[in-house]
Amino acid sequence: EMQLTGDGSRLLLVVREDNVDTLLVVDRAAMTRVQRLPLFEVVDDGETYREYSGLTVGDGWLLAQATDGSFLLLDQTAGGTYETRIQDSLRPVEAWEYLLCRDEKVLAWDGERLAVAVNQDWYNKCGFYLAVYDRTGLRYAGRYDHSQDAGQPEEWRLRCRPADVVALTMEWAA
């Protein structure tokens, strides 16, 4: 996978080297590699299957995900390289399965805490799930049910639904 940082100054390239999915950070102006950062070891042993599955580019941070739900929150340093700040799983509650792994999730990073939220049922309910992580791991996991989701009619067009597929927004208060 290949992406640009938000300001366009760095190229982010994820490659597989010796069975390890690795992030290469390239300075676009000089076209030189400024960092090589191993992300996930590829595992396929019959019980566990893990490989890189996606990169979310934030403002000065990256979220790298693997197929087993594990993630790395990478924070940009003053020198423009990245360091791992949080390593955990987007499956904080077994019953949630892979809900927080969906592409429709919303993320907020304040330099210390990562909040992850996702609608309960893609586009059919107004309730959502929320998980908060810090360097020590999961700090909070909650399911928020919306009162208008109770007693929903069978006809989906008559249901309370979010305004958009990604209707949630989050930010940390200053």
Side-chain angles (χ1 to χ4, degrees):
E1 179 176 5
M2 185 170 33
Q3 293 193 48
L4 292 175
T5 55
D7 65 3
S9 67
R10 308 274 186 183
L11 177 66
L12 306 169
L13 181 63
V14 179
V15 299
R16 184 163 295 164
E17 298 176 334
D18 299 321
N19 221 34
V20 175
D21 293 324
T22 303
L23 174 68
L24 303 177
V25 181
V26 177
D27 181 280
R28 285 189 64 207
M31 288 310 289
T32 57
R33 186 178 75 194
V34 295
Q35 185 176 15
R36 180 187 168 279
L37 182 65
L39 298 175
F40 304 105
E41 181 179 359
V42 177
V43 177
D44 188 3
D45 61 12
E47 286 185 34
T48 303
Y49 176 71
R50 179 185 61 229
E51 68 178 351
Y52 167 81
S53 66
L55 187 69
T56 302
V57 178
D59 184 16
W61 56 269
L62 308 171
L63 183 83
Q65 289 180 236
T67 53
D68 66 349
S70 57
F71 76 89
L72 301 171
L73 187 288
L74 308 171
D75 203 18
Q76 192 171 27
T77 66
T81 59
Y82 292 89
E83 64 180 23
T84 301
R85 296 289 297 274
I86 300 175
Q87 181 174 354
D88 212 307
S89 173
L90 288 173
R91 294 183 65 193
V93 178
E94 192 66 30
W96 290 10
E97 288 293 319
Y98 289 94
L99 286 167
L100 296 179
C101 298
R102 295 195 326 233
D103 290 340
E104 300 85 13
K105 68 184 161 297
V106 178
L107 306 167
W109 169 246
D110 71 352
E112 296 296 324
R113 298 168 298 174
L114 173 68
V116 183
V118 67
N119 284 34
Q120 284 182 14
D121 187 19
W122 277 272
Y123 192 62
N124 292 320
K125 289 188 174 184
C126 293
F128 62 94
Y129 294 95
L130 173 68
V132 178
Y133 302 85
D134 67 11
R135 286 180 188 246
T136 63
L138 180 68
R139 302 300 298 160
Y140 176 82
R143 173 184 165 153
Y144 292 84
D145 293 321
H146 194 282
S147 61
Q148 289 183 331
D149 289 336
Q152 288 273 5
E154 288 297 316
E155 176 58 48
W156 67 270
R157 290 177 292 206
L158 302 175
R159 295 179 185 170
C160 169
R161 296 170 47 191
D164 196 354
V165 174
V166 184
L168 299 172
T169 59
M170 283 192 303
E171 65 181 52
W172 290 102

